[in-house]
Amino acid sequence: MKKIIILTTLAFGLIITQSCNSKPFKKIKAENKEDSASYMIGISVGYTLKMQEIPGINADLIVKGIREVLENDSALSVQEANMFLTMYFNELREKQANENLKKGNDFLAENRNKPGVIETESGLQYKVITEGTGKTPTENDRVKCHYRGKLLNGEQFDSSYDRGEPAQFALRGVIRGWTEGLLLMKEGGKYELYVPSALAYGPRGQQTIGPNETLIFEIELLEVIPVPQNE
């Protein structure tokens, strides 16, 4: 119980700090610290739900559910509620995955006919921005690259340029679309890769990348780093 209180206090402190730094803090009618804590729990839950971007969420029914549990007036157990939510979010994710797959397929079907775009047998599409003149990596090599990744809507989800430092990684340790694309490049080259979901993160997605997302990467191959045979 003590650990929960400590973690919650830290979360509340962060929320209060963010609120004070960004917007005038809204005063509430709190008779005591318990009232203040109750309000902050609502704020914390609200931020968590907002980050999840659940469509059509009804705040009034959320409050009703919380009130019924706290007042021992709920007709449902936590197991029943969790079972429903598991089914609901699985259905929601499957729907999103199907929509993303269709958007990706439609994009790739149109993109393959654009000037300069080449499609490989696997379905990877790429366009040469700058042709390199140095070494071409093998699957056993490490590489140093600058890159930025975007979703089809143009939203950037990652960028080594923004971090101010190129990334180094083994070609065997990245998504298939990257491995295949970099094997086509030479040092000094810069390509734009259009990666189907099957060559990216597939139906599982990853963090800010939804299920079955088609991704666009701008990749600059700076250096091929051969890995010693004994590693």
Side-chain angles (χ1 to χ4, degrees):
M1 184 67 176
K2 189 177 292 184
K3 185 184 290 185
I4 294 174
I5 292 174
I6 292 171
L7 291 174
T8 305
T9 302
L10 290 172
F12 290 165
L14 176 61
I15 291 168
I16 292 171
T17 301
Q18 290 175 336
S19 299
C20 292
N21 288 342
S22 58
K23 297 178 182 178
F25 185 72
K26 294 181 180 180
K27 293 183 178 180
I28 59 169
K29 293 181 180 179
E31 301 294 335
N32 47 48
K33 286 186 178 179
E34 287 74 16
D35 284 353
S36 297
S38 299
Y39 178 70
M40 294 304 171
I41 288 171
I43 293 290
S44 180
V45 170
Y47 272 104
T48 300
L49 293 172
K50 187 174 183 179
M51 285 189 294
Q52 293 181 11
E53 297 182 349
I54 304 169
I57 196 164
N58 188 321
D60 292 336
L61 289 178
I62 291 174
V63 173
K64 176 177 171 60
I66 293 172
R67 181 179 291 112
E68 287 180 355
V69 170
L70 294 178
E71 294 176 355
N72 296 316
D73 191 34
S74 175
L76 297 172
S77 67
V78 65
Q79 290 84 3
E80 290 170 322
N82 287 340
M83 186 181 300
F84 174 86
L85 287 174
T86 298
M87 292 173 56
Y88 173 75
F89 286 120
N90 284 343
E91 290 175 2
L92 203 62
R93 189 167 183 80
E94 185 177 354
K95 179 182 178 183
Q96 184 186 14
N98 291 336
E99 290 175 352
N100 287 342
L101 186 61
K102 183 179 186 308
K103 288 178 184 176
N105 289 340
D106 290 346
F107 169 83
L108 293 168
E110 181 179 352
N111 193 60
R112 68 168 56 99
N113 297 317
K114 292 184 177 179
V117 174
I118 301 169
E119 185 171 58
T120 69
E121 187 176 343
S122 71
L124 175 71
Q125 296 179 4
Y126 69 95
K127 181 169 64 176
V128 178
I129 299 174
T130 304
E131 192 62 87
T133 57
K135 299 179 194 173
T136 296
T138 71
E139 286 189 6
N140 296 320
D141 290 332
R142 293 179 61 83
V143 292
K144 181 188 290 186
C145 296
H146 258 315
Y147 71 92
R148 61 171 51 91
K150 298 186 296 182
L151 304 178
L152 291 184
N153 62 7
E155 178 185 343
Q156 179 178 289
F157 59 83
D158 195 10
S159 171
S160 66
Y161 293 104
D162 290 355
R163 291 192 293 273
E165 183 178 2
Q168 290 191 37
F169 48 85
L171 270 186
R172 291 183 180 272
V174 291
I175 59 173
R176 289 170 56 201
W178 267 44
T179 302
E180 183 179 348
L182 284 162
L183 290 174
L184 300 170
M185 300 176 66
K186 296 179 180 179
E187 289 174 324
K190 189 173 185 179
Y191 282 24
E192 189 163 65
L193 304 182
Y194 312 95
V195 185
S197 63
L199 302 179
Y201 297 100
R204 295 183 63 180
Q206 188 187 60
Q207 297 176 344
T208 57
I209 299 171
N212 285 340
E213 291 266 20
T214 292
L215 306 176
I216 301 174
F217 290 99
E218 183 182 299
I219 301 182
E220 187 177 357
L221 178 56
L222 303 176
E223 183 182 355
V224 175
I225 308 170
V227 176
Q229 291 184 355
N230 58 353
E231 287 192 10

